[in-house]
Amino acid sequence: MQQERAWRKPMRADAARNIEKIISAALDCFRDEGPHVSLKTVADRAGVGPATLFRNFADKEELVLAAIERQLKVKVDPVTELALENPDAAAGLVDVLGAVMQVANEEHHLLSAVAGRRALLVGLAGKLIESMGVLLQRGQQQGTLREELRLIDMVRLVAMLIGAGDTVEPGSFAWQRYVALVEDAIRTHRENRPLPPLEPIPDVDLPL
C-alpha cells in the first residue's frame, strides 16, 4: 500500500495552517511564474522555511498533486454535487465538463508540471470519474446521451478538452467553444444554437 500523503493525515491545527499556506502559495506561484517555479520560491511566498515545506511535501510533484486536489475539491466537487441532483443528467454532465475545464484553464501551469503523469491525475480524479459515470448512465436512461457512449469515452474526451485548452489563453473562456462541441457530440439531439465565439489564437506553435 502506498504511504498516505502528508496533506491527508490527521494533524495539528498549526501544521494544517502551514499546509494550506503552502498550497495557496504554490497556486499563486505557478500562475505567476509557470511550471518551473522553484520550491524555494513557493516556501518564500508562503512565509515558511524550506524544512517546513519538505516536512509536508516530499517533492515538487507531491505539492503539485496536493494543489490540484485542492482545486478539484473547491471548484469541481460542488458543481458535481449539483449535477448529481439535476433531473437533466446530460446538462449536469456538461456542467461538470465546464467546471473541469475552468480549473484546467486557470491552473494551466500547474497541470503542465505533471504533464505525462496520467496515472497520477486519474488517481486524483477517481471520485469525479465515478460521478461522471453515474451521470452518463442516467442520461442514457433518459434518452439524452448517446447509448453507445462508455465511461472511458468521457475520460478521453476530458483529456482531449484539456489538450485543446492548452492552445487557448490562460484566463480566457475560449474553452467553452470546445465544451459546446463535445456536448453536441455526446447528446442524442443537438441543439440548434451558435457556438461560443472563436477567440484569437495565442502565440503558440500549432500544426496549422
Side-chain angles (χ1 to χ4, degrees):
M1 180 187 297
Q2 279 190 326
Q3 185 176 2
E4 187 178 14
R5 297 189 186 278
W7 70 89
R8 294 177 180 166
K9 297 177 182 178
M11 62 189 71
R12 300 190 318 270
D14 58 337
R17 284 194 295 271
N18 280 337
I19 286 179
E20 182 60 25
K21 287 195 296 185
I22 292 167
I23 291 175
S24 295
L27 289 166
D28 290 340
C29 289
F30 276 95
R31 289 174 194 148
D32 293 345
E33 302 190 29
H36 303 297
V37 66
S38 71
L39 290 180
K40 182 182 184 305
T41 300
V42 174
D44 290 345
R45 179 79 70 97
V48 302
T52 298
L53 189 151
F54 284 110
R55 187 160 56 246
N56 292 290
F57 302 100
D59 51 29
K60 187 173 181 178
E61 180 179 274
E62 196 166 278
L63 175 57
V64 167
L65 292 176
I68 293 172
E69 185 173 41
R70 207 280 287 275
Q71 294 305 85
L72 289 175
K73 182 177 180 179
V74 170
K75 297 192 172 183
V76 178
D77 285 1
V79 175
T80 303
E81 289 171 12
L82 288 174
L84 290 168
E85 295 173 2
N86 191 336
D88 183 345
L93 183 56
V94 173
D95 287 344
V96 172
L97 294 179
V100 170
M101 283 306 297
Q102 184 169 351
V103 169
N105 183 260
E106 291 173 351
E107 312 303 345
H108 167 75
H109 293 312
L110 197 65
L111 288 174
S112 296
V114 286
R117 305 302 302 275
R118 182 178 62 182
L120 290 173
L121 294 174
V122 169
L124 280 184
K127 179 183 174 183
L128 170 64
I129 292 170
E130 181 180 342
S131 297
M132 288 173 58
V134 171
L135 292 166
L136 174 61
Q137 185 176 39
R138 288 181 187 169
Q140 289 171 330
Q141 290 169 350
Q142 292 169 358
T144 55
L145 291 173
R146 294 176 59 151
E147 185 63 34
E148 65 269 37
L149 276 175
R150 297 293 178 265
L151 181 55
I152 187 60
D153 295 321
M154 295 307 307
V155 173
R156 288 169 175 164
L157 284 171
V158 169
M160 185 180 74
L161 283 170
I162 292 173
D166 288 342
T167 69
V168 307
E169 290 287 356
S172 78
F173 289 92
W175 53 264
Q176 292 177 339
R177 182 179 180 91
Y178 306 102
V179 171
L181 285 167
V182 167
E183 180 179 4
D184 286 347
I186 65 177
R187 281 187 176 271
T188 51
H189 301 288
R190 187 174 67 183
E191 211 178 318
N192 186 15
R193 60 174 183 185
L195 287 172
L198 180 65
E199 294 193 7
I201 298 174
D203 186 18
V204 295
D205 294 327
L206 293 176
L208 299 179

